[in-house]
């Protein structure tokens, strides 16, 4: 017979993402709705080990739906990678009577969750909260839509000054291992090109692209560069281009951590709300070691194993479209 | 053998929506990419009848991707509802050598497009540009995501003052025949309730909801009201509630036309870019009397007939979730 | 010898304004800086009467600098208009050992403060927190800059749709007794005209202005209307114009309470920070029954009497400039 | 007898600033209002030398009031530093019948304007358009308010993620020679400290400040750093602090050029409107070699000599306040 949890804990882990607060709110209120006790863990897995627990209720999560960041705070935990750390975490949960855990985070967080769940036969469900959008099992991760909109608001401003001075701007967006933010930002910004982990942009190709833009009388241009591309550091790219195009006025902007903050968009608030509910309901129907996601507007539960190891793929259609639109 | 168009025209019709400019840009650049002539028609069907045409090129649509509104302007046309008007429109197109038309608009615009296409055997493709999201054949229409984000930015501000004064605000959002904006805004705003064409909110239910909120110590509240709900005009609703809850401080705000403007979100820019390309490519592969849409991240061509008559459905899951989250 | 206060209370009163939280923060931290006890009163004068007090410290006001509204909440109080109410308020203050009060609000709030201060010889300083900007003794009131920026963001969006459809929009902004928001918004929006309490716009003048705009080929236009103008309700004005210009597409938008919310602008945050410090320092140097303001970048203390009765004047230069710029 | 100009030219020069378009619009419409011919010069002084002129009218400047950047574009010109370049510029103006020039820009631009005006006895008025706010003769320069609001929107987002992770962020804002943006942003952001050209922050002081913050339980902090401070490059500062506080999570963000773009705030739109009118009216009443500014809400004309050489001063009151508020 299915053992139904009576006391659920929730934590946020890894890099924070806009919408995490909305997800926590949805978890808490769903738990209350279904008559379960609900406890918030501060500082991610560190708080699990340190016993940094606080019982929550429906009112604890008021006015946080539209706030960036995570009020439960987040942290990386080396100790949770050790058996001793996980033992301590388990003891704290057991002592408090908590029998299920919801982890809001990215692939690293789910890897830890999976090991812990297996080790202690503890019921765990994940909610994809990361601006990187690099998880299999959900069309969008929580925070991705906000991060790209933030990037675009910045690039729109850069466009103003690029246009006033007929400049070429290289703009670095987040994405060490994936180009989701880069590609979508590039299309939405009308960027001349995008350099990202998933493509093999060469210097020859870049030179050709910039030459073609000149011929087409596009005098102010944006090139979006993902942190983790294969071509090189954005300053190296800039220096190369300055050498090749000495008459061009080339500038670099690195958007950095501001992409992680800000009030979440409608998309992220609704997604976080759906997934927070789905996580609690998944626990109630016995799901374990899975991530709740939305694919094709349906709630989907994907095993941690699959969510982590199958790479989310970049829609090649977007790459094709970007080429057409920068003509 | 398939007759492939050599000269494409594009117009925007009906109420304007953020992202229409991005769609025009995508149509123009795709046409250029495929070596076609491309002409912009001003003022929708009125401009078709008046011969208000302008040939466009790749540079004509620079710097419009992030602009609200439509630089081709839009208008409603009574004359296009008459055979004489459509005859005049056809003559203008024929005279200019235009052999295909892309209409960016909503259901009214597509009804006109369908009749015209049948009458003159003229190749027409539609692109869903309307903030109402009420078309079958696409998950989102162009402008819907921006309009809901605009609504939410306004409601977030109203929330500040509601909270400072422990007030109940009724906020009217657009949507004469559908509650898409209302429902999504309500979830994203953490609204107490939503009153929309698709539900049968009664006054009894409202009273009960507000009583429950008071018991749960929710002292400042938002209720989102769609223009076209069954309960009544927002001022009638407000007056009823003032009668029932004389101690409550109840205010009304009607967001109105500002929901139609503003720089489009990333979602709308990317969607408009995809659909503009898809419209041109649809013409090249012989599609006719269809609307280009995106369902499940795939381009779909839906016959005008179906797009207009099959109603886009409100996801009942969202209604269920909203109930849980306002506990 | 000067009696220096040892325990200061702070409250917000009247309609809320963005930046009130920033002002509270500045009051609290200045009090701590100068070694004084500091207590927050909830719900304005109502809380004073009800004894709704909470001692605050430096950490109580973290993360509120950029939040709209007022975490101390605000309310209007009929009881504070009675001697009994004020007696109760005084008793609560005396009982708690509070010997000075800072009131953040508008003219109504300062009237109450003045009476109370005289009646009980209680030291009170005011901080001008109102979006209306209608107080003498400060160039800008806290909230005014944010409210006009909010209005302008909305009108910019309305401009998009006005332009797409060649429409005339009448946009109502807040201001029952003064046209500060209206005039500044009109200039910043490039509005065709502004109707406000301080001018005597006639229907003849309006008709002439619209005719002139037509001759100058200005086909989409905005007219900004203050709530409290002499010409009439915005719907009456709209109906009159529809009668006069049947071919024009005329729409009305009432911005309403959203002008009161939102994260404060830099101007309001800095102003609120300055004035919060100035209020505490004013108490320490014996000021009483005065409002702290900034004129010509200097801190000025103006007697309540003067701040309330001398009207802030609309800069006639702005009216002249608006006429030139809408040519 | 006063020679009144009949044909005015306008150009934007130096780094662009939000509100330059609003200033151009005001210049053009004022010139039309006073019955003068008005010509726009593209690309600053380069366009003056190259004869890149375009006659403008009232309609040429529609819909630009709310746009960032400058549609006349801007550029730095080495040739205008040579007598030959200025001779060419003068010949172009004379040939076109232009007898007065308005230069929108910063100190470098006014230096060129002064030399040119003296050399050719040509009437020139300057309008302060620079985000740096470092000109004497005006309380604010056009673009400064927008740039600080942009900085603050970014820092507010960074605050979200700083708070989620208890991090210390060093945020670099623009300002090579002055700390106006840095200081005002720091107050508005509630930053722990500000490092700028005008102060002598030492490493010892920084260490002490961070230690004090820790004692006060301020775990997430922002330090604003102006580009041109005396302490060192932001990465050097970061590295030093990482060495001193190995347990702290310290990050760097450089806001960069996005501070130059974006739709201008109400303050900048109104200021630009006032100054554009004042520049034209100054020409009509014989002013020459002066910059139009607003001090104490009055239009002031300051000789170029003075505007350039007298430094705008940082209000020491703001530095004092910042110290109090970060307690």
């Amino acid at each position: 017979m299915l053992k139904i949890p009576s006391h659920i804990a929730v934590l946020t882990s890894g890099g924070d993402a806009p919408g995490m607060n909305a997800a926590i709110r949805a978890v808490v209120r769903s738990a209350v709705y279904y008559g379960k006790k609900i406890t918030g863990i501060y500082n991610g897995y560190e708080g699990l080990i340190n016993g940094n627990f606080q019982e929550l209720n429906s009112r604890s999560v008021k006015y946080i739906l539209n706030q960036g960041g995570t009020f439960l705070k987040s942290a990386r935990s080396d100790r949770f990678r050790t058996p001793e750390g996980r033992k301590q975490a388990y003891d704290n949960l057991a002592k408090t009577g908590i029998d299920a855990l919801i982890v809001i985070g990215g692939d690293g967080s789910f890897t830890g969750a999976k090991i812990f769940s297996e080790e202690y036969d503890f019921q765990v469900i994940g909610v994809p909260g990361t601006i990187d959008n690099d998880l299999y099992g959900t069309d969008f991760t929580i925070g991705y839509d906000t991060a790209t909109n933030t990037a675009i608001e910045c690039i729109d401003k850069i466009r103003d000054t690029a246009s006033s001075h007929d400049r070429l701007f290289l703009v670095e967006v987040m994405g060490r291992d994936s180009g989701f933010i880069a590609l979508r930002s590039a299309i939405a910004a009308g960027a001349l090109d995008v350099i990202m982990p998933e493509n093999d942009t060469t210097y020859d190709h870049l030179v050709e692209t910039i030459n073609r833009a000149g011929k087409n009388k596009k005098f102010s241009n944006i090139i979006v560069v993902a942190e983790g591309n294969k071509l090189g550091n954005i300053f190296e790219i800039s220096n190369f281009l300055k050498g090749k195009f000495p008459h061009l006025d080339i500038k670099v902007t690195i958007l950095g951590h501001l992409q992680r903050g800000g009030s979440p968009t409608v998309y992220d608030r609704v997604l976080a709300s759906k997934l927070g509910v789905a996580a609690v309901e998944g626990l109630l129907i016995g799901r374990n070691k899975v991530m709740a996601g939305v694919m094709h507007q349906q709630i989907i539960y994907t095993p941690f194993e699959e969510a982590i190891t199958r790479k989310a793929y970049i829609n090649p259609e977007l790459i094709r479209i970007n080429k057409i639109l920068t003509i």
Side-chain angles (χ1 to χ4, degrees), chain A:
Chain A
M1 206 190 91
L2 179 65
K3 198 188 129 289
I4 296 173
S6 63
H7 188 167
I8 300 169
V10 58
L11 61 82
T12 48
S13 170
D16 65 330
M20 279 186 161
N21 273 326
I24 298 168
R25 171 180 176 269
V27 164
V28 171
R29 297 213 168 153
S30 303
V32 171
Y33 180 82
Y34 285 109
K36 306 300 170 188
K37 278 182 82 171
I38 176 77
T39 288
I41 316 283
Y42 284 88
N43 299 314
Y45 293 129
E46 275 298 292
L48 210 53
I49 296 171
N50 295 334
N52 202 345
F53 293 14
Q54 181 169 33
E55 200 176 326
L56 303 173
N57 62 45
S58 178
R59 299 292 77 209
S60 316
V61 290
K62 70 177 177 179
Y63 302 145
I64 67 166
L65 174 58
N66 66 351
Q67 301 291 316
T70 158
F71 89 97
L72 289 179
K73 294 179 184 276
S74 186
R76 293 171 207 279
S77 172
D78 285 336
R79 287 194 289 163
F80 198 68
R81 295 215 180 89
T82 68
E84 296 73 27
R86 291 193 296 270
K87 172 74 167 61
Q88 182 71 45
Y90 176 75
D91 289 348
N92 286 331
L93 289 168
K95 193 171 60 189
T96 321
I98 294 168
D99 46 10
L101 176 65
I102 292 172
V103 173
I104 306 169
D107 52 2
S109 309
F110 296 162
T111 304
K114 181 172 171 285
I115 295 170
F116 179 75
S117 175
E118 286 164 354
E119 239 168 27
Y120 291 97
D121 191 18
F122 203 90
Q123 196 182 8
V124 186
I125 283 194
V127 171
T130 162
I131 64 170
D132 291 335
N133 203 40
D134 57 351
L135 288 163
Y136 179 79
T138 194
D139 289 340
F140 273 27
T141 55
I142 297 166
Y144 172 54
D145 187 60
T146 304
T148 47
N149 274 288
T150 298
I152 274 303
E153 282 163 29
C154 292
I155 300 178
D156 280 356
K157 291 184 207 292
I158 291 170
R159 171 72 76 186
D160 285 341
T161 188
S163 163
S164 298
H165 291 278
D166 287 343
R167 276 179 183 146
L168 169 63
F169 269 87
L170 305 180
V171 181
E172 185 184 290
V173 297
M174 282 194 159
R176 270 183 227 283
D177 304 308
S178 74
F180 281 99
I181 295 177
L183 179 56
R184 209 167 164 86
S185 298
I187 292 178
L192 183 65
D193 211 342
V194 53
I195 306 174
M196 57 184 189
E198 289 86 351
N199 64 15
D200 297 296
T201 311
T202 60
Y203 278 118
D204 282 355
H205 166 83
L206 263 191
V207 169
E208 192 191 323
T209 301
I210 292 170
N211 277 328
R212 180 166 45 80
K215 271 182 216 139
N216 291 345
K217 299 189 184 309
K218 299 183 76 162
F219 297 126
S220 75
N221 288 294
I222 309 283
I223 294 176
V224 175
V225 182
E227 282 174 299
N229 73 85
K230 296 173 192 160
L231 197 58
N233 177 284
I234 193 166
F235 291 106
E236 288 167 28
I237 300 174
S238 166
N239 286 335
F240 170 82
L241 292 177
K242 283 176 183 171
K244 275 286 175 186
F245 300 98
H247 64 289
L248 278 190
D249 191 357
I250 301 175
K251 301 277 180 193
V252 165
T253 297
I254 297 173
L255 296 186
H257 278 81
L258 64 91
Q259 295 165 84
R260 292 202 173 277
S263 181
T265 59
V266 168
Y267 198 101
D268 276 328
R269 295 187 198 185
V270 173
L271 178 64
S273 298
K274 281 181 182 173
L275 293 182
V277 174
V280 170
E281 295 183 341
L283 290 175
L284 300 185
I285 56 172
R287 300 303 180 108
N288 192 5
K289 301 182 200 56
V290 296
M291 180 191 86
V294 171
M295 293 181 90
H296 303 170
Q297 309 203 29
Q298 298 295 326
I299 295 294
I300 306 280
Y301 298 96
T302 303
F304 279 148
E305 180 75 34
E306 200 179 351
I308 300 163
T309 55
R310 281 183 68 171
K311 229 184 127 47
Y313 82 114
I314 289 273
N315 190 340
E317 186 61 12
L318 287 182
I319 299 179
R320 195 179 72 85
I321 281 173
N322 195 46
K323 204 164 291 175
I324 293 175
L325 295 183
T326 55
I327 200 169

